């Protein structure tokens, strides 16, 4: 089945319609017979209907033509969808229904008054362009409703070549969007894929012996033979790849439409404005691009940084930008740096914004640079019909679900990587969790995770089905049931991670996989296992290393010492111990937009010492000291400048851990990583007259996981009421509710 054969079918149908019009004395002026929709485009499949309209000038009498015209066509055996309308009625119908307007964009003259056909086409197209800003939101709503009802061509078990997301209907709509002149679509990508789907639909019609757009299971094998592919799996991958490409182009195009519609009607500036997002990365017209002067050859992290920022802002990662990054960024070698790993985890934990960015990386081939193992699961169908998506899309959906659970685990970076890799072993002959565990271990080592994290990732991938399988098939009251879990998951931290991964995996599978019944069984078993382990993730030990106090500090000053450190700088700050000292120090770094990777603080009476590891290089101690003095002397209002400006998509977690220390009250904070977190916490505690005796600050992917050992200024651990006040104040400060 080829374009040539479709052209032959169209020519045969045209001849039939033209003969019927001529044999029945069709008017040559004032009336015209036109083809619309797929027939108008000349894309008839073997069993397609002929969509035709007899159009006439207002006031022109057609006599018996409408009655006689259709019979010869019916008698030929062709299926006919016909109507009779005046030119004003046609334009009115197009104005009233966007679906009619879409069909008329492809109007094609068949017989009669050619000038009337031309007028119709010209006026419909002109009206479409004039009303595009009003019609496109309506069309977008229809598209989203159809996608929600039918699903995606790349993933549904019985694909619909026409109506599914990424199908022929979407390809036609993309052409209609191009006709508005508001945005463009890469024609070199769209048209070949559209022709591929038309070829496939022709085969489906021919094999089914009727008009159908759905590929039922029994059609995959003969389709593979028709397409010259080795087997059913190859046919599925080919067809789903075509659908996913069109879906990807559709997503990009609609986002560009949104960007255009959000701008005023006035002409946009000739040079697009660049809004900085991060080092070497900027936003232009709703798309992430490279900033002026950015050089991927000198900044190998630019690739991951652009992807992470695009996902976190839920905007397009411009495909030309990806192409340039892929071509110019040196390929990663050896073990990844901490910053590269952090950027990857930020990308994975970005939530729903991850999906379009990951698709762009996949469609452009850039994904192979960071995860070549991806090819094994790319567009791989699931064996179980309970799955909504192919394996590759499922693991990304699992990442999206896991991103909402990162506050429940001590190692969100481990959770996100395990979510990405949990099905990496699928597609082979060995059970996928067994096959995937060593692959995941190798990937985690390559990405630079520490030994403990590597072991956790391997364990999670190996046993990611353990909780769900055991909970739904074993008696929860039988001690052996809990023992089946604790035999493989031996500490509370790993169990919390496995519980979160199990929930994310199930939610990404289908609503049935995480029903209230299944969820209650799994969570109950997790609680029983946690009680059996009778432990928890350990908190960091209090750090207390006596250091030499500089003479300037003994005279009442504050010392800032900067030393080069792997992947950044290490800053040691020493000053007279006082309530609020740590808050002022944290504000100093926040104002300089310095990324704090980790910090430790302790008291060395009557002084206080803090050590800060920063991501940036070239930190100037004199600049830090000057900024600190402005803050501590009250010349700069740190509280006003560092107050959160927008809501955290996940509520901050603030937990008092009474079991963690007998000398201090331990407060554990988890919130979205952003400048000023340590300041906000320390400032809130200082306002209550409390002192932070030790702080342990870590950034795990997109989440800050900070632990503060807090005391009354001169009295040791907090009482229960004061601890509750502290937790409330910290939570309010991080939420932007504090005054």
């Amino acid at each position: 089945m080829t374009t040539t054969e479709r052209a032959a079918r169209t020519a045969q149908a045209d001849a039939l319609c033209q003969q019927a019009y001529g044999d029945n004395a069709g008017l040559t002026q004032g009336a015209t017979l036109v083809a619309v929709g797929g027939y108008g485009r000349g894309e008839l499949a073997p069993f397609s209907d002929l969509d035709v309209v007899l159009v006439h000038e207002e006031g022109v009498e057609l006599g018996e033509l409408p009655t006689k015209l259709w019979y010869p066509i019916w008698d030929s055996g062709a299926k006919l969808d016909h109507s009779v309308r005046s030119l004003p009625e046609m334009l009115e119908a197009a104005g009233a229904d966007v679906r009619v307007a879409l069909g008329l964009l492809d109007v094609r003259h068949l017989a009669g008054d050619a000038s009337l056909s031309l007028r119709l086409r010209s006026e419909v197209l002109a009206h479409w362009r004039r009303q595009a800003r009003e019609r496109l939101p309506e069309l977008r709503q229809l598209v989203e409703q159809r996608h929600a009802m039918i699903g995606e061509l790349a993933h549904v078990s019985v694909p619909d070549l026409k109506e599914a997301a990424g199908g022929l209907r979407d390809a036609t709509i993309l052409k209609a969007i191009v006709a508005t002149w508001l945005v463009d679509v890469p024609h070199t990508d769209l048209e070949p894929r559209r022709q591929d789907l038309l070829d496939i639909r022709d085969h489906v019609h021919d094999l089914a012996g009727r008009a159908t757009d759905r590929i039922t299971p029994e059609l995959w094998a003969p389709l593979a033979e028709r397409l010259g592919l080795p087997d059913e799996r190859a046919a599925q991958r080919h067809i789903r790849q075509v659908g996913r490409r069109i879906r990807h182009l559709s997503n990009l195009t609609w986002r560009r439409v949104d960007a255009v519609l959000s701008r005023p009607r006035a002409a946009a500036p000739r040079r697009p404005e660049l809004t900085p997002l991060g080092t070497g990365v900027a936003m232009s017209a709703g798309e992430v691009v490279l900033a002026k002067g950015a050089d991927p050859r000198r900044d190998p992290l630019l690739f991951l940084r652009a992807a992470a920022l695009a996902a976190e802002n839920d905007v397009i990662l411009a495909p030309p930008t990806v192409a340039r990054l892929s071509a110019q960024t040196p390929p990663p070698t050896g073990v990844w740096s901490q910053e590269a790993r952090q950027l990857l985890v930020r990308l994975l934990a970005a939530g729903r914004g991850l999906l379009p960015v990951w698709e762009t990386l996949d469609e452009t081939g850039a994904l192979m640079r960071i995860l070549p193992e991806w090819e094994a699961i790319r567009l791989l169908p699931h064996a179980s019909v309970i799955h909504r998506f192919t394996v590759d899309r499922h693991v990304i959906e699992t990442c999206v679900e896991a991103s909402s659970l990162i506050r429940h685990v001590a190692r969100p970076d481990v959770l996100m990587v395990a979510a990405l890799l949990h099905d990496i072993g699928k597609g082979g002959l060995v059970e996928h969790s067994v096959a995937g565990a060593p692959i995941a271990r190798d990937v985690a080592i390559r990405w630079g995770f520490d030994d403990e994290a590597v072991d956790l990732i391997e364990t999670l991938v190996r046993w990611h089905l353990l909780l769900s399988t055991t909970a739904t098939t074993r008696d929860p009251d039988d001690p052996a049931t809990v023992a089946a879990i604790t035999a493989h998951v031996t500490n509370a931290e790993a169990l919390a991670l496995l519980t979160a991964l199990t929930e994310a995996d199930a939610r990404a599978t289908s609503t049935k996989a995480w029903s209230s019944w299944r969820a209650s069984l799994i969570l109950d078993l997790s609680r029983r296992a946690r009680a059996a382990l009778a432990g928890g993730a350990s908190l960091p030990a209090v750090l207390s290393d006596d250091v030499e106090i500089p003479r300037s500090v003994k005279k009442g000053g504050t010392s800032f010492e900067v030393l080069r450190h792997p992947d950044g700088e290490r800053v040691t700050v020493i000053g007279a111990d006082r309530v609020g000292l740590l808050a002022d120090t944290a504000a100093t770094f926040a104002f300089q937009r310095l990324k704090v990777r980790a910090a430790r603080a302790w008291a060395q009476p009557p002084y206080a010492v803090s050590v800060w590891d920063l991501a940036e290089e070239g930190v100037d101690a004199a600049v830090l000291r000057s900024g600190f003095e402005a803050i501590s002397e009250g010349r700069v209002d740190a509280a006003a400048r560092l107050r959160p400006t927008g809501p955290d998509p996940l509520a901050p977690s603030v937990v008092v851990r009474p079991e963690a220390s007998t000398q201090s009250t331990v407060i554990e904070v988890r919130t979205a990583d952003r400048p000023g977190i340590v300041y906000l916490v320390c400032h809130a505690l200082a306002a209550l007259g409390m002192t932070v005796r030790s702080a342990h600050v870590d950034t795990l992917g997109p989440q800050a996981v900070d632990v503060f050992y807090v005391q009354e200024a001169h009295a040791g651990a907090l009482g229960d009421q004061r601890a509750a006040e502290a937790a409330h104040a910290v939570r309010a400060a991080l939420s932007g509710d504090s005054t």
Side-chain angles (χ1 to χ4, degrees):
M1 302 294 176
T2 65
T3 304
T4 302
E5 292 177 66
R6 283 191 292 278
R9 281 194 293 272
T10 300
Q12 184 178 4
D14 288 355
L16 176 63
C17 292
Q18 290 161 358
Q19 182 174 352
Y21 191 87
D23 289 349
N24 288 281
L27 300 177
T28 58
Q29 290 187 333
T32 186
L33 184 64
V34 296
V36 297
Y39 182 27
R41 293 188 297 275
E43 295 170 355
L44 292 177
F47 292 92
S48 291
D49 291 352
L50 304 183
D51 293 337
V52 297
V53 183
L54 180 59
V55 184
H56 61 92
E57 294 274 20
E58 198 169 24
V60 171
E61 293 294 334
L62 297 177
E64 295 183 350
L65 178 61
T67 305
K68 296 180 177 181
L69 177 60
W70 315 126
Y71 285 103
I73 303 175
W74 284 328
D75 291 343
S76 72
K79 290 184 288 185
L80 186 66
D81 187 350
H82 63 88
S83 61
V84 181
R85 287 180 177 172
S86 68
L87 179 60
E89 288 173 340
M90 291 286 282
L91 299 176
E92 182 180 353
D97 190 334
V98 68
R99 288 166 293 195
V100 174
L102 285 176
L104 292 181
L105 289 176
D106 295 309
V107 68
R108 182 169 58 86
H109 177 73
L110 291 174
D113 189 344
S115 63
L116 181 58
S117 298
L118 181 60
R119 279 179 54 201
L120 171 62
R121 179 176 177 81
S122 299
E123 292 192 32
V124 167
L125 188 56
H127 185 271
W128 177 249
R129 288 171 179 157
R130 285 195 305 270
Q131 300 298 319
R133 286 178 172 268
E134 289 72 32
R135 307 307 297 272
L136 287 179
E138 179 186 356
L139 180 58
R140 175 71 173 273
Q141 185 177 9
L142 291 174
V143 168
E144 290 175 347
Q145 290 173 350
R146 173 169 51 82
H147 289 176
M149 182 180 301
I150 306 297
E152 295 187 40
L153 175 56
H155 302 291
V156 292
S157 57
V158 181
D160 188 311
L161 295 169
K162 184 176 182 180
E163 302 294 347
L168 287 167
R169 182 81 70 188
D170 280 350
T172 300
I173 288 173
L174 289 179
K175 295 181 68 175
I177 293 174
V178 171
T180 66
W181 292 351
L182 292 177
V183 298
D184 201 1
V185 180
H187 294 283
T188 54
D189 284 346
L190 174 61
E191 191 55 26
R193 303 293 79 77
R194 199 175 71 85
Q195 293 298 326
D196 286 342
L197 283 189
L198 290 171
D199 290 345
I200 294 164
R201 185 179 66 170
D202 286 356
H203 288 305
V204 169
H205 274 217
D206 197 42
L207 290 168
R210 58 187 176 86
T212 179
D213 298 310
R214 302 175 78 238
I215 306 178
T216 51
E218 68 274 9
L219 293 179
W220 285 115
L223 261 179
E225 185 177 352
R226 290 280 190 101
L227 297 171
L229 297 171
D231 53 31
E232 295 182 32
R233 177 173 288 185
Q236 287 211 38
R237 284 200 170 194
H238 170 67
I239 293 171
R240 295 181 188 282
Q241 169 63 41
V242 173
R244 190 167 72 174
R245 183 59 183 159
I246 292 176
R247 167 69 162 164
H248 181 63
L249 292 173
S250 178
N251 288 341
L252 290 176
T253 302
W254 279 114
R255 285 185 175 238
R256 287 169 177 167
V257 168
D258 290 342
V260 170
L261 296 184
S262 66
R263 295 199 299 262
R265 288 181 178 269
R270 291 183 179 181
R271 292 185 178 180
E273 297 182 2
L274 291 178
T275 303
L277 287 181
T279 304
V281 182
M283 180 97 76
S284 174
E287 300 187 17
V288 166
V289 298
L290 298 186
K292 185 177 180 180
D295 188 351
R297 292 165 294 192
R298 296 185 177 182
D299 185 358
L301 296 181
L302 195 54
F303 178 82
L304 285 169
R305 192 180 306 119
L309 287 168
E312 289 174 340
N313 288 277
D314 195 12
V315 294
I316 297 172
L317 177 58
T321 297
V322 178
R324 179 184 170 191
L325 287 168
S326 296
Q328 297 183 3
T329 303
T333 57
V335 176
W336 286 24
S337 68
Q338 181 181 7
E339 187 175 357
R341 188 169 62 256
Q342 289 279 353
L343 288 170
L344 174 67
V345 175
R346 282 175 55 187
L347 169 64
L348 296 178
R352 188 53 59 179
L354 167 67
L355 180 57
V357 172
W358 196 268
E359 285 184 347
T360 297
L361 296 177
D362 196 358
E363 290 294 321
T364 57
L367 191 54
M368 296 301 104
R369 297 176 61 84
I370 59 176
L371 186 59
E373 294 84 355
W374 183 258
E375 185 61 30
I377 63 170
R378 192 171 188 266
L379 287 168
L380 180 66
H382 267 107
S384 171
V385 295
I386 194 174
H387 279 273
R388 295 178 292 169
F389 304 110
T390 52
V391 175
D392 55 346
R393 173 65 177 275
H394 166 74
V395 299
I396 298 305
E397 292 286 341
T398 303
C399 289
V400 172
E401 296 291 345
S403 69
S404 66
L405 302 173
I406 59 176
R407 299 282 159 81
H408 303 297
V409 297
R411 291 296 302 263
D413 53 342
V414 168
L415 174 62
M416 297 314 305
V417 171
L420 178 68
L421 300 176
H422 77 280
D423 277 350
I424 200 68
K426 285 199 170 180
L429 300 177
V430 179
E431 201 281 319
H432 77 277
S433 61
V434 176
I439 298 174
R441 182 178 188 85
D442 290 344
V443 173
I445 292 172
R446 186 172 76 235
W447 285 346
F449 281 93
D450 58 77
D451 292 344
E452 180 184 4
V454 170
D455 290 342
L456 278 172
I457 291 168
E458 181 181 22
T459 297
L460 291 172
V461 173
R462 173 63 183 90
W463 300 110
H464 71 272
L465 298 175
L466 180 64
L467 266 179
S468 58
T469 301
T470 307
T472 55
T473 60
R474 301 279 290 273
D475 179 0
D477 294 320
D478 186 341
T481 301
V482 170
I485 303 299
T486 57
H488 303 294
V489 183
T490 57
N491 62 71
E493 180 179 359
L495 179 62
L497 286 163
L498 180 62
T499 304
L501 177 59
T502 301
E503 179 176 346
D505 186 14
R507 289 185 181 278
T509 298
S510 70
T511 53
K512 294 180 180 179
W514 193 251
S515 64
S516 58
W517 171 75
R518 289 177 64 89
S520 65
L521 291 177
I522 291 168
L523 295 178
D524 178 64
L525 179 57
S526 176
R527 283 190 292 269
R528 291 170 185 256
R530 185 170 64 250
L533 290 170
S538 61
L539 291 170
V542 176
L543 178 64
S544 181
D545 277 336
D546 285 351
V547 298
E548 183 177 351
I549 305 301
R551 183 176 300 176
S552 61
V553 175
K554 293 179 179 179
K555 291 182 178 181
T558 302
S559 167
F560 284 77
E561 180 185 0
V562 180
L563 293 176
R564 186 75 181 88
H565 187 260
D567 294 327
E569 307 274 25
R570 173 166 287 173
V571 181
T572 301
V573 183
I574 307 175
D577 192 13
R578 61 175 172 83
V579 173
L581 174 63
L582 199 63
D584 291 347
T585 306
T588 301
F589 293 120
F591 283 165
Q592 296 295 323
R593 308 295 292 182
L594 297 174
K595 174 76 171 177
V596 177
R597 284 186 173 148
R600 300 289 183 267
W602 65 95
Q604 191 171 314
Y607 305 105
V609 182
S610 57
V611 178
W612 306 74
D613 288 337
L614 308 179
E616 287 77 9
E617 300 179 9
V619 177
D620 190 325
V623 172
L624 293 178
R625 190 180 304 108
S626 175
F628 173 83
E629 291 171 355
I631 294 168
S632 59
E633 294 170 6
R635 289 182 279 122
V636 173
D637 187 351
R641 290 180 59 179
L642 292 176
R643 185 176 295 120
T645 57
D648 184 348
L650 302 176
S653 170
V654 181
V655 179
V656 178
R657 300 285 295 271
E659 80 285 356
S661 174
T662 58
Q663 298 178 336
S664 301
T665 297
V666 177
I667 298 177
E668 183 182 77
V669 173
R670 300 185 185 193
T671 188
D673 184 33
R674 62 177 184 267
I677 291 173
V678 177
Y679 166 76
L680 291 170
V681 174
C682 293
H683 180 70
L685 295 172
L688 295 175
M690 300 173 185
T691 300
V692 176
R693 287 302 179 187
S694 179
H696 306 263
V697 182
D698 282 298
T699 302
L700 297 174
Q703 173 171 270
V705 183
D706 303 342
V707 178
F708 300 86
Y709 285 74
V710 184
Q711 294 181 349
E712 298 287 8
H714 303 288
L718 311 179
D720 291 346
Q721 182 175 347
R722 288 282 282 169
E725 290 178 12
H728 176 75
V730 170
R731 193 177 295 110
L734 295 173
S735 302
D737 298 332
S738 59
T739 58

